[in-house]
Structure formats: C-alpha cells, structure tokens
Amino acid sequence: MTLYGYFRSSTSYRTRIAMNLKGLDYDNVTVNLAQDEQLESEFKALNPQGLVPVLQADDLLLYQSPAILEWLEEVYPESPLLPKDAAGRMQVRALSAMIGCDIHPLNNRRILQYLRNELSVGEEYVMAWCNRWMSEGFAALEKRLAQEENRGKFCYSDRPTFADCYLIPQVSSARRFKVDLTPYPNIVEIDTHCRTLKAFADADPIMQPDAPSA
Ligand SMILES: N[C@@H](CCC(=O)N[C@@H](CS)C(=O)NCC(=O)O)C(=O)O
C-alpha cells in the first residue's frame, strides 16, 4: 500500500497510527502541504478535494481518513481498533468524531491560510482562533473521558482504538499551537501512555522521511 500524506498532517498521522497498530507495511509518498502540492493537478487527479491522506491499496484509491480507518478495520480485522459491542463502537466513533469533525477541520491549513491571506488576520489572532477551538473541543472531550466508565490506559478500555488514533495527532497539533493542556489531565495521561508505544512513536511527525531534520 502507498500512503500519500505529509509528516505534520493530523489526518495522515492518524492513518499511520492505525496502520502501524495493525502491523501493515506501506510506502510513503510526500505531498508537501507547505508548498501547496496538494493543489497541483497531479495530486488532484487522486483526490479532487486537494486533501491528504490518500491511500492506494492495489487498484483501490481510498480517501477521507475516517473512511480509510473503517476500511482498514474491515479488511484487516486483526488487532481490532473498535470494541466488539455496538455501544462501545458508538462511543469510540463519537470520541473520534469530536476530534475529526469538530476540532481538526477548524484549524486546518486551508482555513488558517484563508484567515491569513484573504482576511489579513494577523498571526496573533490566528493563534487565538486555533486556541479557541482546540480548547473548547478538548474541554468537552476531557469531560467525556473523565465520565467514561470504560476508560482504561487508552480513551476506551486498555486497548488502543480509533479514538486514540485521532487524539494523539490532535494533542501534537495543540502543543504546536501552544494550547495549555493542564486543564485536561485525562487527555495528557492517554497521550503520555500512547507515546510509549512503538506504533504511535513510529507514526510521529518527527519520524517521517519528509520531516525537516533537527
Ligand atoms: N476529512 C478529511 C480532512 C483531510 C484534511 O483536512 N487534510 C489536511 C491535512 S491534515 C490537508 O490536506 N490540508 C490541505 C489544505 O488545507 O490545503 C480527512 O479526514 O481525510
């Protein structure tokens, strides 16, 4: 399989974590978002939305990371990333959607570039925008995690699920935008635990071939 992505893209990062947790091998193709390669016709032929990730699996071209994760779960059921019971699956998908639908899209590059370049919003206010939506999203997520009776070492139970694949990249992004994480002890605890695991560590942006060397 070939993953078209970018080292710092949260949606590529969540896909890498899921693939690593399932022990799947894949090649990386870099789509450099900093150089707007996602908008070039060559990439738009793969995904007319001009968004990474895209996963090529034989003659299948998969797009939209939530759909990619679901496909991986169906086709590679070993090391499941969803609980066995319907209520558990609902909970994991809901926690994932809190991040994937309601936090990440507001802070995506194209949104921030629009604020900067077309609305002439200064960097200080761009940071404030990101902080606002990440903090609000994390506050609700923290409450959910604190109340979740099935919370274990991970967001749900003692096994990693989709929710952890979504959470860890979003925490990375929050750190990059200097969001204060002290009000979210459950989130920080899960993040700290996940980062001790190879599947998560290998998916980290700094470990990717397109990451700038230190
Ligand atoms: N819902 C899509 C969102 C994909 C997405 O937003 N990708 C970002 C990187 S994390 C991107 O390609 N951004 C390019 C841009 O904003 O121009 C998914 O989950 O795959």
Side-chain angles (χ1 to χ4, degrees):
M1 289 190 273
T2 302
L3 182 65
Y4 293 79
Y6 184 56
F7 76 105
R8 213 157 56 187
S9 141
S10 300
T11 51
S12 308
Y13 188 179
R14 72 173 71 129
T15 308
R16 293 194 297 264
I17 296 172
M19 294 184 80
N20 291 350
L21 285 168
K22 287 185 175 290
L24 299 171
D25 270 343
Y26 57 93
D27 295 326
N28 274 298
V29 172
T30 298
V31 182
N32 191 330
L33 302 188
Q35 291 177 10
D36 280 338
E37 283 179 2
Q38 76 281 15
L39 303 179
E40 290 174 9
S41 51
E42 196 184 336
F43 182 72
K44 279 200 158 178
L46 300 179
N47 183 4
Q49 272 192 300
L51 298 171
V52 292
V54 167
L55 183 67
Q56 172 105 52
D58 296 323
D59 52 355
L60 267 185
L61 210 48
L62 307 161
Y63 58 98
Q64 282 291 342
S65 62
I68 296 175
L69 264 61
E70 293 283 350
W71 179 86
L72 289 168
E73 184 71 358
E74 286 183 27
V75 177
Y76 300 99
E78 310 80 31
S79 306
L81 299 176
L82 286 172
K84 283 201 174 81
D85 60 304
R89 287 197 297 276
M90 188 292 302
Q91 183 66 1
V92 164
R93 286 180 173 127
L95 293 171
S96 305
M98 286 177 78
I99 299 166
C101 300
D102 298 331
I103 303 179
H104 169 268
L106 288 161
N107 305 297
N108 201 356
R109 176 178 163 81
R110 60 185 173 156
I111 306 303
L112 306 188
Q113 290 299 79
Y114 180 73
L115 292 175
R116 289 178 181 121
N117 301 337
E118 294 190 46
L119 301 184
S120 305
V121 173
E123 205 50 35
E124 185 190 342
Y125 293 104
V126 171
M127 291 291 280
W129 168 275
C130 291
N131 260 268
R132 167 77 167 77
W133 301 117
M134 288 195 212
S135 302
E136 187 177 290
F138 273 4
L141 189 62
E142 176 67 22
K143 273 204 184 119
R144 285 279 179 208
L145 292 170
Q147 290 163 359
E148 175 51 70
E149 57 189 33
N150 290 304
R151 216 218 100 184
K153 291 182 184 151
F154 298 92
C155 291
Y156 189 91
S157 80
D158 279 330
R159 296 184 62 111
T161 64
F162 283 178
D164 306 291
C165 301
Y166 279 72
L167 178 63
I168 286 13
Q170 193 59 57
V171 173
S172 276
S173 174
R175 290 207 170 96
R176 194 152 59 86
F177 286 100
K178 305 201 186 322
V179 174
D180 175 16
L181 295 176
T182 48
Y184 319 119
N186 281 277
I187 291 177
V188 171
E189 197 177 292
I190 294 165
D191 179 69
T192 305
H193 177 63
C194 286
R195 286 179 195 281
T196 63
L197 304 179
K198 187 169 162 45
F200 287 85
D202 287 352
D204 193 286
I206 56 165
M207 298 304 290
Q208 305 316 303
D210 52 332
S213 45

